[in-house]
Amino acid sequence: MKGSRFILVYVILVIAQILLRNYCNFTQYLAISFLPAMIMCLPLDKSTVSGMFIAFITGFIVDFLTDGQLGLTILALVPVALVRRGVILAVFGEEVFSRGENISFNRQGAEKIFLSIFMLTSIFMLVFIAADGAGTRPFWFNLVKFLISVLLSSAVSYFIAKLLCADYDSRWK
């Protein structure tokens, strides 16, 4: 039941990201994306390669159904899936993998989860903004867009992670 619930919530959040990107263009200095948090919350039994495949498919769907450039989200999201295990290992430690548990707010704590979301969102936005501008925008514009986007996207992603990393078992509580 937990796996099917995760897939349903994941699909709904992909649709929400598509709607957000299509209909909520607030300013050119802001790009909100909670896709890195969704990739972070994938079950830890998924390998890096399968995580990269899921990131590719998710990025392709978002790119195809939005009015942006095809491949831009893929280009930024696949590296997030590549470094996901390393970030989780650095922030949460080895015990997450040794216990065979998934990321949880109760077990890992909100501060660590926010830190990992911030790190993954920073990687995503760095690649996304650099590729989106393709060297045609000034450095200061890209820097301001990066800072605003990372801060707001990390805040939104925190609540998205709360949806995806919900605790349904009491094995390690």
Side-chain angles (χ1 to χ4, degrees):
M1 180 66 181
K2 182 182 178 204
S4 61
R5 181 201 176 275
F6 181 85
I7 293 170
L8 177 66
V9 172
Y10 192 90
V11 169
I12 290 170
L13 289 174
V14 168
I15 293 169
Q17 179 67 57
I18 292 168
L19 294 173
L20 179 70
R21 191 164 302 162
N22 277 335
Y23 298 111
C24 297
N25 294 327
F26 301 110
T27 178
Q28 63 181 346
Y29 292 102
L30 176 62
I32 296 179
S33 180
F34 44 81
L35 296 174
M38 293 170 58
I39 295 300
M40 183 197 76
C41 292
L42 289 173
L44 293 180
D45 61 351
K46 301 286 184 209
S47 68
T48 301
V49 174
S50 63
M52 291 171 68
F53 180 73
I54 292 169
F56 180 85
I57 295 299
T58 303
F60 180 79
I61 290 169
V62 170
D63 281 342
F64 188 74
L65 296 175
T66 59
D67 57 354
Q69 300 152 339
L70 187 59
L72 186 61
T73 305
I74 297 168
L75 180 68
L77 197 58
V78 170
V80 169
L82 179 66
V83 300
R84 174 180 78 109
R85 290 181 82 81
V87 168
I88 290 171
L89 185 66
V91 174
F92 301 124
E94 181 64 37
E95 58 269 356
V96 174
F97 295 107
S98 64
R99 289 182 179 174
E101 61 188 24
N102 288 321
I103 297 171
S104 165
F105 275 82
N106 290 337
R107 292 184 287 272
Q108 279 77 37
E111 297 84 12
K112 288 183 178 181
I113 290 178
F114 186 79
L115 177 62
S116 62
I117 288 171
F118 184 80
M119 292 168 68
L120 292 174
T121 303
S122 296
I123 293 167
F124 177 84
M125 286 298 171
L126 183 68
V127 175
F128 187 86
I129 292 169
D132 187 34
T136 59
R137 293 189 182 135
F139 172 75
W140 297 110
F141 176 86
N142 286 340
L143 180 65
V144 169
K145 185 173 183 173
F146 173 77
L147 293 174
I148 292 171
S149 298
V150 167
L151 290 175
L152 287 176
S153 292
S154 295
V156 171
S157 295
Y158 177 79
F159 296 105
I160 297 301
K162 264 191 161 325
L163 286 173
L164 286 172
C165 296
D167 289 322
Y168 292 102
D169 58 330
S170 60
R171 187 170 70 168
W172 295 103
K173 287 185 181 176

